[in-house]
């Protein structure tokens, strides 16, 4: 049989990442072992999962991880009898990074590195754990055989930008990673990684909870024994070498809360999430009654890069049944808007033959999910009440995702509203809760006033704000993309309804004030009736109505939608999604006390067909669009009209 040996160059991005990982990423070199064990444990999870439906994939021996030290030739190897890799998979998984956006990401990383502020949390998302072996090894070999296949593959590299790959042999399926260790260099943190106690210590620290036995051959003293097993009197002890399990394998979620340290929780989180940062907080859940289950959930401290690539980031939770791993990425346990939550669920009595389809219909899974959502909401609410600073970090990272839950009619939306933070005209810097907003509402104010837009700056400058600010009303600013969607039809907050300043007619002030303002407006409308009709005729293609308003104080005009109309941002969003959205005409509202109206009225009274009225109307319309940061239908025509106006006097 001819064996093909191939020599390949690492993908350019991998070289860069390798360089970062080896030279500056980890301050502690011990973590290479954590990464290898975590990969082995992932591979065991996979074979166990596939074995559920295809039992011949399962190894004969129990699933385990084996660490072998060889002090004589200074090698250390980590083996597993997990899923293994085919030749293609080796080439794909080691030596290439297929994740989209890698190049842009690396650019950003280079920049942050030149500013000396390396951000390991970013790089951790790229699955680079394996490369950390080159911190402690001059050469690394991977011998692997995919479960269900006959041939094995050997991959080898000195971490110098090249690797070789060839066909090889391995007795059973699984993977062995062998490190040819660098010389001990305590000063630079390279310990003696063939030393039994060094390895014991690292395994205990980082990988104690791994649910497969991590075995290592150790020397023991054995006393001579009689045939009945009792120690032989006067016998000499002799050295034997045997496998010892180094980790306790205790499911961390099954241990009483008080007995688990934060460090243990954090290491466990890193193990399951592939995140390198400590989580923001953990939630441990115990469910009893109709369904028995425990869960250990984590809120990360950083949003992953792909949080908005919904399919990619929606991985779900790990599912165990009676401490036995069933599946990774169980999406049915978490709603979409909580997709950032990481963790494990361990149920006492689910059928072990779960397939992904069956799971969806499982009433117990639905019950667990509901319970978990409730507990997460409670935990977030507590975080908001007790540790506002921390909560703000959370909100900045995940608030926009959480608000997606407000779009769902199945979820209970009230708890989400209670968690909302948003910018407000009340404070330049501090976001407010809705409850605080309501507590500051003016007497006679019965609605929550808000505006949506692309940014706080844009929204704040909007003419729609004028009347409200002048009368001392507080206005909330919503600037996430999702806000435009849920605020189309927002659920009432503690019985308070919502009022967009950009939509519908707005009534300000006390009843008496309102009545008076309405009267005046009616009179003014009568006075300007014919002019308004003419303006409507001129702007007929763009607006569906021209009317007077008292929501403005300084600006001449603004555009508003009908209460049921989609906002311009939504229309834009739908267009970007490639949808053919019919033009939504809005209403032009004019400030009756602005001189422009008087000017047009004078010209109108003199000569109804004065062409300058048309020009003024178009200019007025154009500048209201510009004021809200919108796009003019015909910018060239608009700027010609402005230029003409500039050279004309009077
Ligand atoms: P990550 O574990 O975050 O994906 P790594 O750099 O640690 O990133 O590993 C890269 C990939 O190599 C893994 O995703 C997996 O597909 C493969 N791999 C690594 N170690 C093993 C192993 N022991 N068995 C099977 N596949 C492995
Ligand atoms: Mg890994």
């Amino acid at each position: 049989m001819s064996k093909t040996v191939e020599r390949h160059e690492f993908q350019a991005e991998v070289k860069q990442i390798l360089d970062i990982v080896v030279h500056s990423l980890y301050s502690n070199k011990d973590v290479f072992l954590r990464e290898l064990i975590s990969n082995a444990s992932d591979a065991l999870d996979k074979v166990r999962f596939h074995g559920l439906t295809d039992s011949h994939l399962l190894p004969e021996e129990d699933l385990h991880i084996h660490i072998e030290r060889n002090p004589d030739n200074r090698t250390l190897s980590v083996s597993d009898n997990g899923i293994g890799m085919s030749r293609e998979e080796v080439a794909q998984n080691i030596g290439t990074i297929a994740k989209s956006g890698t190049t842009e990401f690396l650019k950003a990383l280079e920049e942050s590195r030149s500013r000396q502020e390396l951000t390991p949390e970013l790089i951790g998302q790229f699955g680079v754990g394996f490369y950390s072996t080159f911190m402690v090894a001059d050469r690394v070999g991977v011998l692997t055989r995919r479960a269900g296949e006959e041939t094995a593959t050997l991959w080898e590299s000195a971490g110098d930008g090249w690797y070789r790959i060839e066909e090889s042999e391995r007795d059973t399926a699984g993977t062995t990673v062998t490190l040819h260790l660098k010389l001990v260099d305590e000063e630079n943190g390279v310990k003696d990684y063939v030393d039994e106690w060094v390895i014991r210590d690292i395994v205990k620290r980082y990988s104690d909870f791994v649910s497969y036995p991590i075995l290592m051959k150790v020397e023991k003293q054995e006393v001579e024994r009689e045939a009945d097993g009792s120690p032989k009197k006067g016998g000499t002890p002799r050295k034997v070498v045997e496998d010892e399990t180094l980790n306790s394998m205790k499911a961390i979620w099954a241990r009483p809360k008080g007995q688990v340290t934060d460090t243990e929780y954090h290491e466990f989180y890193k193990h399951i999430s592939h995140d390198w940062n400590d989580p923001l907080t953990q939630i441990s859940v115990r469910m009893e009654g109709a369904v028995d289950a425990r869960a250990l959930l984590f809120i990360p401290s950083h949003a992953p890069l792909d949080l908005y690539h919904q399919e990619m980031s929606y991985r779900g939770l790990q599912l165990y049944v009676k401490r036995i791993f069933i599946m990774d990425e169980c999406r049915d346990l978490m709603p979409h808007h909580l997709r950032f939550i990481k963790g494990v669920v361990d149920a006492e009595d689910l059928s072990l033959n779960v397939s992904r389809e069956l799971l969806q219909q499982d009433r117990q899974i639905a019950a667990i999910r509901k319970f978990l959502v409730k507990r997460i909401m409670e935990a977030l609410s507590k975080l908001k009440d007790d540790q506002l600073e921390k909560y703000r970090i959370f909100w900045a990272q995940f608030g926009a995702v959480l608000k997606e839950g407000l779009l769902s009619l199945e979820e209970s939306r009230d708890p989400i509203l209670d968690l909302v933070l948003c910018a407000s005209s009340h404070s330049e810097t501090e976001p407010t809760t809705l409850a605080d907003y309501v507590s500051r509402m003016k007497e006679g104010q019965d609605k929550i006033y808000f505006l949506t837009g692309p940014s706080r700056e844009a929204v704040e400058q909007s003419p729609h704000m004028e009347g409200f600010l002048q009368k001392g009303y507080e206005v909330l600013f919503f600037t996430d993309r999702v806000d435009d969607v849920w605020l189309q039809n927002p659920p009432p907050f503690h019985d308070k309804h919502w009022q967009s300043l950009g939509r519908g007619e707005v009534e300000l002030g006390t009843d008496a004030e309102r009545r008076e303002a309405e009267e005046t407006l009616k009179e003014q409308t009568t006075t300007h009736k014919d002019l308004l009709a003419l303006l409507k005729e001129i702007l007929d293609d763009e607006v569906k109505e021209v009317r007077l308003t008292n929501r403005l104080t300084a600006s001449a005009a603004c555009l508003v939608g009908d209460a049921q109309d989609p906002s311009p941002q939504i229309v834009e969003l739908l267009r970007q999604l490639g949808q053919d959205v019919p033009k939504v005409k809005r209403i032009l509202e004019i400030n009756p006390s602005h001189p422009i109206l008087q000017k047009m009225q004078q010209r109108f009274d003199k000569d109804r067909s004065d062409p300058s009225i048309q020009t003024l109307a178009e200019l007025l319309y154009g500048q209201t669009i510009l004021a809200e940061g919108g796009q003019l239908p015909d910018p060239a025509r608009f700027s010609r009209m402005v230029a003409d106006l500039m050279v004309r006097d009077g």
Side-chain angles (χ1 to χ4, degrees):
M1 191 168 61
S2 78
K3 293 185 177 178
T4 37
V5 182
E6 288 173 9
R7 189 159 178 269
H8 292 277
E9 196 168 0
F10 280 126
Q11 196 190 16
E13 287 87 350
V14 174
K15 277 196 214 169
Q16 263 175 291
I17 287 189
L18 190 67
D19 181 61
I20 295 171
V21 171
V22 172
H23 292 113
S24 42
L25 188 59
Y26 295 99
S27 46
N28 180 355
K29 297 197 162 42
D30 294 352
V31 296
F32 82 90
L33 190 58
R34 168 184 84 187
E35 297 299 329
L36 289 180
I37 290 174
S38 133
N39 286 350
S41 157
D42 289 349
L44 293 167
D45 285 348
K46 280 181 199 154
V47 85
R48 174 131 77 191
F49 180 67
H50 291 299
L52 286 176
T53 46
D54 199 354
S55 61
H56 79 275
L57 292 179
L58 289 172
E60 276 169 28
E61 277 186 81
D62 287 344
L63 300 176
H64 68 269
I65 298 167
H66 205 279
I67 300 180
E68 212 171 296
R69 303 171 294 116
N70 189 332
D72 296 333
N73 55 12
R74 293 200 48 77
T75 60
L76 179 76
S77 66
V78 177
S79 305
D80 62 72
N81 53 352
I83 193 78
M85 286 177 273
S86 66
R87 186 182 179 121
E88 292 71 40
E89 285 170 324
V90 174
Q92 222 168 57
N93 298 338
I94 306 179
T96 337
I97 291 185
K99 200 153 180 168
S100 62
T102 310
T103 321
E104 299 87 78
F105 157 74
L106 276 168
K107 230 190 274 157
L109 197 68
E110 267 309 310
E111 278 162 21
S112 73
R113 207 152 64 118
S114 59
R115 292 198 307 270
Q116 305 276 309
E117 39 183 74
L118 189 65
T119 39
E121 68 272 9
L122 285 178
I123 199 169
Q125 296 169 23
F126 277 77
V128 293
F130 175 78
Y131 301 122
S132 65
T133 51
F134 288 103
M135 294 190 300
V136 299
D138 298 319
R139 192 152 53 89
V140 178
V142 179
L143 176 63
T144 183
R145 182 175 141 193
R146 169 92 196 185
E149 289 184 12
E150 290 307 313
T151 54
T153 304
L154 178 66
W155 179 100
E156 238 186 1
S157 171
D160 54 357
W162 294 87
Y163 65 90
R164 42 180 265 138
I165 192 165
E166 68 184 84
E167 210 173 291
S168 185
E169 277 159 32
R170 198 178 190 281
D171 288 344
T172 52
T175 303
T176 302
V177 180
T178 303
L179 311 188
H180 298 263
L181 293 167
K182 289 184 180 173
L183 291 177
V184 177
D185 179 0
E186 294 279 357
E187 221 162 85
N188 287 310
V190 182
K191 295 184 194 156
D192 188 5
Y193 294 113
V194 287
D195 183 275
E196 177 188 330
W197 291 96
V198 170
I199 298 296
R200 277 178 183 277
D201 179 53
I202 301 176
V203 170
K204 206 71 196 154
R205 192 144 31 96
Y206 292 112
S207 312
D208 192 52
F209 45 77
V210 168
S211 52
Y212 304 98
I214 302 170
L215 306 170
M216 186 166 78
K217 291 221 161 15
V218 294
E219 261 185 21
K220 286 198 175 143
Q221 301 280 342
E222 198 180 66
V223 284
E224 279 185 88
R225 289 184 189 275
E226 303 284 2
D228 65 357
S230 61
K232 186 174 174 179
K233 277 195 194 115
T236 44
R238 59 191 182 102
K239 277 187 190 164
V240 289
V241 177
E242 58 184 40
D243 274 334
E244 184 182 320
T245 302
L246 304 183
N247 56 330
S248 74
M249 291 187 282
K250 267 197 193 148
I252 191 167
W253 59 87
R255 288 162 56 190
K257 238 199 275 187
Q259 288 180 19
V260 184
T261 65
D262 272 354
T263 320
E264 284 176 295
Y265 277 131
H266 293 176
E267 283 306 327
F268 179 71
Y269 165 74
K270 290 174 189 170
H271 177 73
I272 58 164
S273 69
H274 294 216
D275 183 357
W276 300 15
N277 298 285
D278 289 342
L280 197 64
T281 187
Q282 63 262 1
I283 307 168
S284 109
V285 182
R286 178 91 214 245
M287 200 179 163
E288 277 167 330
V291 183
D292 268 341
R294 287 169 192 264
L296 180 56
L297 307 178
F298 296 91
I299 302 174
S301 50
H302 291 76
L305 291 172
D306 57 6
L307 188 62
Y308 293 94
H309 292 233
Q310 307 209 342
E311 283 316 300
M312 284 165 74
S313 64
Y314 185 23
R315 304 220 170 82
L317 303 178
Q318 286 190 349
L319 176 64
Y320 286 71
V321 173
K322 291 204 187 69
R323 257 80 51 219
I324 305 277
F325 174 83
I326 303 298
M327 66 191 286
D328 232 349
E329 314 197 351
C330 179
R331 295 184 174 194
D332 306 312
L333 286 167
M334 257 314 109
H336 203 255
H337 67 282
L338 293 176
R339 61 184 178 275
F340 53 86
I341 299 279
K342 304 280 180 213
V344 299
V345 172
D346 188 354
E348 286 303 317
D349 40 22
L350 281 180
S351 136
L352 264 177
N353 269 326
V354 277
S355 76
R356 280 170 199 260
E357 286 70 30
L358 276 181
L359 214 51
Q360 226 146 32
Q361 297 150 15
D362 196 305
R363 296 223 321 274
Q364 296 193 349
I365 290 282
I368 296 174
R369 167 183 147 137
K370 195 164 163 210
F371 191 75
L372 296 182
V373 170
K374 188 163 160 274
R375 293 298 307 274
I376 292 169
M377 290 296 148
E378 285 165 6
L380 286 173
S381 172
K382 194 163 164 3
L383 191 68
K384 173 171 68 76
D385 296 341
D386 300 350
Q387 293 173 274
L388 189 57
E389 278 312 307
K390 225 172 168 183
Y391 184 74
R392 285 189 180 149
I393 299 178
F394 161 78
W395 187 260
Q397 296 288 323
F398 299 109
V401 176
L402 194 64
K403 281 187 284 189
E404 288 174 18
L406 292 168
L407 303 173
S408 158
L409 296 175
E410 291 139 45
E411 301 301 329
S412 53
R413 295 184 289 176
D414 289 351
I416 305 181
L417 284 179
D418 282 325
L419 290 170
V420 165
L421 291 186
C422 63
S424 123
S425 58
H426 179 70
S427 160
E428 286 290 323
T429 48
E430 312 246 300
T432 181
T433 62
L434 298 179
D436 286 345
Y437 176 89
V438 169
S439 73
R440 288 189 296 262
M441 275 169 46
K442 280 172 65 117
E443 219 178 294
Q445 179 184 355
D446 59 352
K447 290 197 174 144
I448 301 171
Y449 295 132
F450 72 95
L451 256 180
T452 62
S455 69
R456 177 179 179 137
E457 292 71 39
V459 183
E460 234 172 355
Q461 298 304 323
S462 152
H464 301 107
M465 291 284 300
E466 291 169 5
F468 288 83
L469 291 188
Q470 199 203 29
K471 294 208 169 65
Y473 289 101
E474 180 179 346
V475 177
L476 298 177
F477 306 132
F478 286 96
T479 54
D480 285 323
R481 267 187 161 205
V482 62
D483 292 328
D484 271 309
V485 191
W486 74 269
L487 284 164
Q488 283 288 316
N489 190 12
F493 172 75
H494 296 191
D495 296 332
K496 293 274 183 293
H497 289 268
W498 299 73
Q499 172 70 58
S500 164
L501 307 199
R503 280 201 277 155
E505 301 204 51
V506 183
E507 294 149 357
L508 290 177
T510 62
D511 284 352
E513 283 168 347
R514 268 187 229 170
R515 238 172 289 132
E516 199 190 312
E518 256 168 53
E519 276 307 309
T520 327
L521 199 66
K522 241 191 220 157
E523 283 164 25
Q524 288 166 324
T525 304
T526 319
T527 317
H528 299 289
K529 195 166 124 251
D530 295 339
L531 173 65
L532 293 175
L534 175 65
L535 295 178
K536 162 76 172 81
E537 213 182 296
I538 295 170
L539 297 171
D540 200 35
D541 282 348
E542 310 295 335
V543 303
K544 63 178 168 194
E545 192 185 336
V546 178
R547 69 183 178 212
L548 300 182
T549 184
N550 46 30
R551 75 171 94 210
L552 299 175
T553 57
S555 300
C558 66
L559 285 161
V560 296
D562 255 345
Q564 314 75 22
D565 285 346
S567 71
Q569 290 88 355
I570 289 264
V571 172
E572 184 54 34
L573 193 70
L574 292 173
R575 292 224 168 94
Q576 280 173 12
L577 291 172
Q579 296 206 20
D580 200 13
V581 194
K583 183 164 173 173
V584 183
K585 288 192 194 175
R586 287 188 288 162
I587 300 163
L588 181 69
E589 287 194 342
I590 301 179
N591 176 359
S593 45
H594 196 279
I596 185 73
L597 184 70
Q598 315 311 328
K599 184 168 179 175
M600 289 195 285
Q601 187 66 51
Q602 280 162 15
R603 296 197 178 173
F604 183 80
D605 291 343
K606 247 198 249 160
D607 173 9
R608 292 187 167 225
S609 52
D610 182 345
S612 73
I613 299 178
Q614 158 117 20
T615 312
L616 287 174
E618 284 188 45
L619 284 170
L620 183 66
Y621 173 71
Q623 63 91 15
T624 52
I625 293 199
L626 290 179
E628 61 178 28
Q631 300 257 322
L632 291 171
D634 186 350
R637 180 177 160 82
F638 184 79
S639 68
R640 254 195 327 272
M641 288 181 2
V642 172
D644 284 351
L645 191 73
M646 290 193 297
V647 293
R648 205 179 325 144
D649 35 355

